[in-house]
Amino acid sequence: MENIVKESIDLITPDLASFLIKLSSDELTQTRDVVPEWQTAASCLLVALGRKREFGAQVMDALLSKFPSGTVPHFFVVQTLGILAAENAFGVVPRLKDVISRMLPVLASVKHDNLRWAFCSSMGKFCDAILDYLANMDKATDKSITAEMYYGEIYSAFDVMFNVWLLTKEAKLRLAIVEAVGSMTHLMSTERLAEVTPKLIPTLSMLYRKHNEHYFITNSLCMCLDAIQKKNASILDPQLDVLLSNLHPLACVPIDFGNPVTIKNHNELLRCFNVMAKSYSDRVVGFMLNKLEVRDERSRIGTLDVLKHLINSTDDKMEDKKALVVSGLKILLSETNNQVKKILAQVVIAMAHHEYLGLEGGHLMIEFIVRQCALPVSADERQQAAGLDSEMVTNGQLKQMCDNVLQLLTNTVEHMESVLWPYLLECLAPPPYTEALTAVCRSAAHLASKKRDTEDEDYELDYDILVNVPKPHAMISRLLVMAGHPFGSGGRGVHVLNLLMALGPNLQENVVELWDAIIPKLTQFLEDNMASGKEWNQKRWEDMVLKLLSKTLEEVDDEEWICGLGYEMGGQISLYSGHPNEKNFLFKCIGVVLRKCTSRQFIQDHLNLLFATVDHSNQTEREGCAMALGFCAASHLDSAVEKLQQVAKDDMVRKSVGFLGLMKDKSEADVERVKSTVMLCYGQVTFFAPVGLITSRIEVNILRSINPHFANVKDTSVKQNLIRTVDLIGKSLHPNHLQTTDFVFQKRGDLLVHMQVNILNTFCGWHHT
């Protein structure tokens, strides 16, 4: 019947409505017993009819006829009045004075918990209806109604419910009283509220220990705090410290996202702190910042969650606390727990939106985000994460989140431009941030490109003032090396190249046109390759980037500038300790600079540097060093060969030191590793040497140096690199390479014999094993 009435309410005639109202109200009280099955149906039908303005008065008349003054009403009469008030505030509130005046005299006579529950539930709904009526007075029919009209009656009801009924052992009734009390405090005079608060707040706080379900308590407490704050916030002053201490542990309880009630309770707890901060922001913020000093992960997570809420919801009250908050959060910047770091990153987002990060210390918050973008992620972390506790946060999850945070701050928070630019450029060089360069370059490229296009005044970098921003040579070197392996750090290549192009006018005016023409082609090549899924050709890509570097040097055509770039590249070798691929490519870049440079001192210094920094036990680094020697030999063959001869003399022998020569400064393995590097270098030097010179040097200088090392080769690495060297010599002396058939290679037979012996020894070794 209820559903039919709801669907066809406009079709019901007054006569039919009168009949249904009488029928339902009679059914409601036909027996004094509570029979929910049909009495609930009758109650719902009355409420459905009472929603319509034309029938509301009739429903109220019918219900009040069942509630004569001085008699305890039926359970369902009380409950229906409350539900009707919630559904039709504008129809019920003008008559609530009469309803409450009938209720008050009989409250002391109500003994049964279920009827007390009905009175509490309805009284809470009456208060909510009055507050709703007053908040929407423009829609009200009776403009004379005020909150003050109800102060006396509401306090009288509060006195009975809170001071007498709350002593019950029935948990359901206690929660109903608590829920009603929250609404009732908004309809008390300031004097009465000040009178009850010293008992009200501690009592509500104490109930948390008696109930596992906290939502109704928290909701009521929040409403009480809101009423106090609106009427006279100083009433709360004596209770504040204890209240903060009671609520803080509750805010630190992990949220069960599978239980909606716990989510609602947590939100209400946050609202409590919000209400308190409106009048006591100093004390609330100070309390929270002190809690951050406690080295307990759960406490820190809860505290940060509260601070995030305060930043987002009480911006006007937090204005003069911004510097304090930024300073107070510094204690967490060295935090190691990923769950704490995750919520701190969320706090940073909130601070960014509310202009905290432009203050002193704001850059430290950005640096924190960048550090998380650089977190190491193991290859099998995804599989491991599947079995972790849902509360756990892996490095990969935190890294991805902070990548997104940095992009969000860059693209959507307009006033963050002045914070991020040019600060992000300071994050390009430090080795700990290498794995973060994808995120850093993406954001920095966006800002630089935007400022360059709009010709912003702050686009141009004054390196004398911006002392922490890497100089042009440093940025070019760093970005080119990072571009050499474009899929490292989650695919940095496109963003690195975009940043290089966007920074062009700040790095070297003479290359702007060149980079604007070539770099888009390189980025398009990367994007096309990623989209097609074709097998990646690393050598082809490196050749393209090295060609960009070579053309850049040609375009600048300034010896001092070129040497400056080379010295910077040499200085950055240490950045790639533990990153052999990047170090390999940096060596190749140094080789390109050596090929272009004419300074003998520069060439000598950097040939020495290459051998001083290469890890002879790492084949990848060895390959890069050999290519660098080869590139150098293209212009400075004699210098390259001399360096190799010097290394062979100084580092490929086991020198005796100490008493009677009993100690050696190098092991046999060390010597063999250096030999592998030198042999491979000879091969690359031969291959890249000018064809007009190599024919005169190959037998006299090169073969004479490497021939002795073909004998008694035991180390596998040396064998492999000797074979590579012979292969490179063969290619370099091929008529197609020399572009002539006149050269006769006299030592060709010797090399073939060496290869045959090597193959035979290898075969015999296999046979014996």
Side-chain angles (χ1 to χ4, degrees), residues 492-757:
R492 64 191 171 215
V494 170
H495 306 301
V496 167
L497 290 170
N498 284 338
L499 178 58
L500 192 64
M501 181 172 69
L503 288 174
N506 276 309
L507 300 179
Q508 170 54 254
E509 285 286 351
N510 295 339
V511 302
V512 172
E513 187 175 345
L514 172 72
W515 287 0
D516 286 351
I518 293 180
I519 290 179
K521 295 177 182 178
L522 293 177
T523 57
Q524 188 62 51
F525 177 86
L526 284 177
E527 291 169 353
D528 290 346
N529 187 272
M530 287 186 287
S532 67
K534 293 181 181 178
E535 184 177 354
W536 176 245
N537 188 328
Q538 177 64 22
K539 182 180 183 304
R540 181 184 176 190
W541 174 254
E542 287 188 7
D543 290 343
M544 293 166 69
V545 178
L546 292 173
K547 186 176 181 180
L548 172 65
L549 171 59
S550 181
K551 285 185 174 294
T552 296
L553 301 179
E554 291 174 8
E555 201 69 28
V556 175
D557 196 25
D558 180 274
E559 178 76 8
E560 182 179 353
W561 191 92
I562 293 172
C563 287
L565 179 61
Y567 277 115
E568 182 60 45
M569 287 180 171
Q572 289 189 10
I573 291 175
S574 60
L575 299 183
Y576 303 104
S577 176
H579 298 273
N581 290 326
E582 286 77 6
K583 193 173 179 181
N584 166 292
F585 190 70
L586 175 56
F587 282 160
K588 293 172 183 175
C589 290
I590 292 173
V592 172
V593 176
L594 286 169
R595 183 174 64 195
K596 180 66 178 177
C597 188
T598 60
S599 168
R600 185 167 183 81
Q601 185 62 50
F602 174 86
I603 295 167
Q604 183 178 341
D605 289 345
H606 282 75
L607 288 175
N608 292 338
L609 183 64
L610 287 171
F611 277 94
T613 55
V614 65
D615 180 357
H616 292 288
S617 64
N618 188 295
Q619 183 65 23
T620 301
E621 291 192 24
R622 179 182 292 129
E623 297 270 0
C625 179
M627 289 291 288
L629 265 289
F631 291 158
C632 177
S635 300
H636 313 289
L637 176 60
D638 291 338
S639 296
V641 172
E642 287 173 9
K643 178 60 186 175
L644 291 174
Q645 290 172 342
Q646 177 194 342
V647 173
K649 178 181 177 182
D650 296 342
D651 298 334
M652 286 171 53
V653 293
R654 299 178 64 195
K655 298 177 184 178
S656 298
V657 295
F659 182 67
L660 297 179
L662 296 177
M663 296 175 62
K664 307 289 185 179
D665 71 340
K666 287 186 178 66
S667 68
E668 183 176 348
D670 291 335
V671 172
E672 292 300 299
R673 294 186 190 108
V674 175
K675 185 186 293 185
S676 291
T677 303
V678 172
M679 293 304 102
L680 186 58
C681 286
Y682 270 119
Q684 295 293 0
V685 165
T686 305
F687 184 77
F688 285 102
V691 293
L693 293 178
I694 193 60
T695 53
S696 62
R697 305 288 200 282
I698 182 66
E699 295 181 342
V700 177
N701 299 99
I702 296 175
L703 285 180
R704 188 173 65 183
S705 298
I706 66 175
N707 269 333
H709 301 294
F710 280 103
N712 299 319
V713 179
K714 298 178 181 178
D715 187 277
T716 303
S717 173
V718 177
K719 289 181 181 179
Q720 292 173 343
N721 285 293
L722 277 171
I723 294 170
R724 288 278 307 280
T725 299
V726 172
D727 178 55
L728 289 166
I729 291 173
K731 289 177 180 177
S732 65
L733 298 179
H734 193 278
N736 290 343
H737 183 79
L738 295 176
Q739 297 180 348
T740 179
T741 57
D742 296 338
F743 175 71
V744 178
F745 184 25
Q746 303 292 342
K747 301 292 185 179
R748 178 175 177 273
D750 293 343
L751 283 181
L752 289 174
V753 170
H754 288 316
M755 289 296 97
Q756 289 171 345
V757 171

Side-chain angles (χ1 to χ4, degrees), residues 53-113:
R53 179 178 299 178
E54 290 83 349
F55 307 144
Q58 284 182 264
V59 173
M60 284 296 294
D61 289 339
L63 289 171
L64 291 177
S65 70
K66 307 295 183 180
F67 186 0
S69 298
T71 61
V72 177
H74 193 281
F75 172 93
F76 272 98
V77 170
V78 179
Q79 186 183 58
T80 305
L81 283 168
I83 297 172
L84 185 60
E87 294 290 336
N88 184 9
F90 294 106
V92 174
V93 168
R95 301 185 65 174
L96 273 184
K97 193 81 171 173
D98 181 22
V99 175
I100 297 174
S101 67
R102 298 187 189 206
M103 281 188 171
L104 291 177
V106 301
L107 288 180
S109 304
V110 178
K111 303 301 181 183
H112 296 291
D113 284 344

Side-chain angles (χ1 to χ4, degrees), residues 12 24 39 105 109 147 201 203 375 397 425 512 557 559 636 676 758 763:
I12 296 177
S24 300
Q39 289 170 336
S109 304
I201 299 300
T203 300
L375 285 172
Q397 291 167 339
L425 299 179
V512 172
D557 196 25
E559 178 76 8
H636 313 289
S676 291
N758 187 38
F763 176 78

Side-chain angles (χ1 to χ4, degrees), residues 393-448:
V393 179
T394 66
N395 277 2
Q397 291 167 339
L398 184 58
K399 175 184 173 70
Q400 182 61 52
M401 174 190 170
C402 288
D403 282 357
N404 295 336
V405 167
L406 194 57
Q407 187 174 11
L408 175 73
L409 299 184
T410 304
N411 296 341
T412 64
V413 186
E414 187 172 348
H415 57 257
M416 280 298 294
E417 278 193 15
S418 60
V419 179
L420 296 172
W421 177 265
Y423 172 74
L424 283 179
L425 299 179
E426 297 181 21
C427 301
L428 293 178
Y433 302 157
T434 297
E435 291 302 315
L437 285 185
T438 299
V440 170
C441 289
R442 177 174 55 216
S443 293
H446 173 83
L447 294 172

